[in-house]
Amino acid sequence: MIRGIAELRKTMKKRILIIAIVFALANLPYIFGEKIPFSGKWRIEAIEFTNESADSWKSSGNSNFILEFKDDETIGADGSCNSLGGSFKLISISQISIVFGGTKKLCNPKEPNFWLLNNTYEYNFDDSQTLLYFKFKNEYAGEGKFRLSRWKNT
């Protein structure tokens, strides 16, 4: 019986090691600073909340609110009367941390709440890689996501 437990432990250690290696290999591009998968400009199409009582924001047609993600892990923003920007850090394949700031002038009341980007913890793409989603969780606004589309300068 003791022999069976020892073999089981060996098997479990091997499985844990294999999982750790697979995870490390999957994260190599982020560990070694390779190109950001969503670098470039993205148009904010909507901010959708899980909580139905929270006010979601949707662009009316072509939104002028653009976020630019650069390979040096900085973010710029256009389309607001405020000066906005920040930085981000990829934690793993789908996890992200964003620090976003700027002036807080009273602009257009229909402007999206950029400050929710500070509560972002995860990103993912749609199947076509043309829509990018940032999930956030905020103690006041609840959970939700930013929906962005790749910006095409026309």
Side-chain angles (χ1 to χ4, degrees):
M1 182 159 172
I2 293 176
R3 190 171 188 213
I5 293 173
E7 287 181 29
L8 181 61
R9 283 186 182 161
K10 255 187 184 178
T11 303
M12 291 303 291
K13 284 181 182 179
K14 285 180 184 177
R15 287 182 181 168
I16 290 170
L17 180 61
I18 290 170
I19 291 169
I21 290 170
V22 168
F23 181 78
L25 290 174
N27 286 293
L28 278 178
Y30 307 106
I31 294 169
F32 292 107
E34 303 229 346
K35 188 173 179 173
I36 306 304
F38 47 82
S39 64
K41 292 184 178 184
W42 293 83
R43 179 188 316 271
I44 299 176
E45 299 293 343
I47 302 173
E48 300 161 346
F49 293 93
T50 306
N51 177 355
E52 290 181 18
S53 65
D55 288 333
S56 291
W57 179 89
K58 288 193 171 120
S59 129
S60 54
N62 287 333
S63 163
N64 291 326
F65 301 108
I66 307 296
L67 295 176
E68 182 175 11
F69 296 89
K70 300 177 184 173
D71 289 332
D72 65 357
E73 296 186 338
T74 59
I75 307 169
D78 285 327
S80 172
C81 74
N82 286 295
S83 298
L84 301 163
S87 62
F88 63 94
K89 181 77 178 155
L90 295 178
I91 299 165
S92 71
I93 290 176
S94 64
Q95 293 180 318
I96 188 169
S97 172
I98 295 178
V99 177
F100 200 76
T103 59
K104 291 187 176 181
K105 296 179 205 168
L106 184 58
C107 299
N108 179 348
K110 295 187 178 186
E111 182 172 298
N113 185 351
F114 290 102
W115 306 106
L116 290 170
L117 285 167
N118 286 314
N119 305 109
T120 300
Y121 62 91
E122 184 178 297
Y123 72 92
N124 58 43
F125 293 94
D126 69 337
D127 291 337
S128 68
Q129 302 281 310
T130 57
L131 292 177
L132 173 62
Y133 298 94
F134 285 120
K135 291 184 181 177
F136 62 84
K137 186 173 187 176
N138 176 283
E139 70 177 280
Y140 302 108
E143 292 186 50
K145 63 185 172 186
F146 279 82
R147 185 177 76 223
L148 299 98
S149 62
R150 199 165 284 281
W151 185 66
K152 297 176 184 105
N153 190 5
T154 53

